[in-house]
Amino acid sequence: MPTSSAPAASQRLLNLLSLLQTRRDWPGAVLSERLHVSPRTLRRDIDRLRDLGYPITATRGPDGGYRLGAGTRLPPLLFDDDQAVALAIALRTAVVSGAGIEEAAGRALATLSQVMPARLRARIDGFDVTPVAHAEGDGQPADPRTLLAVGAAVRTREELRFDYRTPGRTEDHEALRPPRQVQPHHLVARAGRWYLVAWDPGHQDWRVHRVDRMTLRSPNGPRFTPRELPGGDVASFLAARFRGAQDTDAWPCRADVVIGLPPDRVLPFVGDGIVVATEPDRCRVRVGSWSWAGLAAWLLRFDADIEVVDCPALRRAFAVAAARSARAAGGDDTDAAG
């Protein structure tokens, strides 16, 4: 008479698979003890999992055991509740990742939902993501194959060769340019776009490239020795470059001004600026921008008196803006009154 029923054997296989997925190597004796089975039963269960497509190899040595490796096809996977929920959320948010995998992520989520217990499906159904088109709108989502190839080059430290589409330039103009060759250091997602942060040996400078504008050349270039990114933090470095700074996460143009508005009228709109109350109807604000002209234009949005605190560059920017505004306002009085 068999020592265990079919349901008990199936549960034991699931428990065995779960254990094999949690660490690289398992001594056979430890697995037998954890599952409360004999070494012979363990070997039979291992063979059953192999028949199902799981690439389990035997390890040698005094504590010979088993290892779950990578095979030629993807076998069924086992997830606990938290892993299943995390995977479903990741698939739902893939639509806003800019990785060009929306359709495949949707199919994977449908497959997962079919086998997900009702208690977990209810948790996932309450998490809804509404995709919003990115404001730039001048490119396509990054090709998943390009993302994988760039990520592999970052990992193996191989130089990348690629053609790059620059906005405002025709294809004929781009065809005359030689392919770029850089040393890839980081692949970063930001605001729905994927960016490559790389060292450009030809220009002896760090460069940031949008992956959706890259067309890779084959083969890759030689291997390289990675260098230290300025500041050491890729998130801060990328934020600095988007602000127009070179190395630090700070605006290149910063100034203090006094605005003739109460602090609570200013604070919601200053972003990473600093607001200090000086009087009930006035406040001192420290803000930054990528240019002095941009900073002056941004401050004018408050429609209030502005006093520049010891910053000649910002005063000049306001003077230029005032002259341009005066020329723009030089139409007929009837136009202004209308």
Side-chain angles (χ1 to χ4, degrees):
M1 178 178 294
T3 58
S4 61
S5 63
S10 298
Q11 183 61 51
R12 191 176 66 245
L13 285 179
L14 291 176
N15 292 339
L16 172 58
L17 179 58
S18 180
L19 290 173
L20 289 171
Q21 290 179 161
T22 59
R23 56 188 275 188
R24 179 173 176 81
D25 293 300
W26 277 95
V30 175
L31 278 177
S32 297
E33 182 180 353
R34 292 286 293 269
L35 296 170
H36 306 291
V37 297
S38 67
R40 180 180 178 184
T41 299
L42 176 63
R43 287 194 295 271
R44 286 203 307 265
D45 289 345
I46 291 292
D47 288 338
R48 291 191 183 100
L49 289 178
R50 286 170 174 160
D51 291 339
L52 292 173
Y54 293 95
I56 302 173
T57 59
T59 59
R60 305 190 177 202
D63 295 326
Y66 301 96
R67 173 186 302 169
L68 179 62
T72 57
R73 65 185 180 88
L74 187 65
L77 301 176
L78 180 67
F79 299 105
D80 60 30
D81 286 4
D82 290 340
Q83 288 174 321
V85 170
L87 179 59
I89 291 175
L91 290 170
R92 284 209 170 173
T93 55
V95 69
V96 294
S97 70
I101 58 172
E102 292 85 353
E103 190 270 339
R107 288 189 288 110
L109 181 59
T111 301
L112 180 63
S113 298
Q114 282 184 330
V115 297
M116 185 175 285
R119 68 181 187 279
L120 298 183
R121 194 179 303 115
R123 292 171 60 185
I124 296 303
D125 289 342
F127 180 81
D128 194 18
V129 177
T130 302
V132 178
H134 193 266
E136 294 181 22
D138 61 343
Q140 299 297 320
D143 187 331
R145 292 168 297 183
T146 302
L147 283 173
L148 292 174
V150 172
V154 171
R155 185 176 61 256
T156 58
R157 303 301 185 191
E158 291 181 344
E159 291 190 359
L160 276 176
R161 300 168 59 248
F162 58 91
D163 298 312
Y164 196 72
R165 299 185 302 278
T166 303
R169 291 179 176 171
T170 64
E171 292 185 7
D172 291 340
H173 184 277
E174 292 289 0
L176 298 175
R177 294 171 58 90
R180 307 190 186 194
Q181 186 158 339
V182 300
Q183 297 174 355
H185 279 67
H186 299 277
L187 181 62
V188 187
R190 184 182 190 271
R193 298 288 187 199
W194 287 89
Y195 297 90
L196 170 66
V197 177
W199 174 258
D200 189 325
H203 292 87
Q204 287 294 294
D205 190 17
W206 291 95
R207 297 297 170 97
V208 178
H209 302 280
R210 265 180 46 175
V211 177
D212 60 297
R213 295 176 180 166
M214 297 170 56
T215 301
L216 299 183
R217 292 281 192 106
S218 182
N220 288 347
R223 290 183 179 272
F224 64 91
T225 301
R227 62 181 64 222
E228 184 71 18
L229 189 69
D233 176 51
V234 65
S236 297
F237 173 83
L238 193 61
R241 285 300 174 98
F242 275 95
R243 289 179 170 180
Q246 285 299 309
D247 299 328
T248 59
D249 183 12
W251 293 109
C253 301
R254 288 171 288 176
D256 283 20
V257 299
V258 176
I259 300 179
L261 287 173
D264 60 340
R265 295 272 303 277
V266 177
L267 185 60
F269 305 102
V270 298
D272 59 355
I274 299 173
V275 179
V276 178
T278 56
E279 300 176 31
D281 58 348
R282 290 163 63 84
C283 59
R284 181 164 175 154
V285 182
R286 174 170 294 177
V287 286
S289 182
W290 59 89
S291 69
W292 294 115
L295 183 55
W298 183 86
L299 287 166
L300 288 172
R301 66 187 292 196
F302 288 104
D303 192 22
D305 290 339
I306 299 170
E307 175 188 341
V308 178
V309 180
D310 193 25
C311 184
L314 182 56
R315 288 197 181 98
R316 287 193 295 271
F318 271 120
V320 172
R324 288 174 177 166
S325 298
R327 288 193 295 271
D332 294 337
D333 291 342
T334 53
D335 293 338

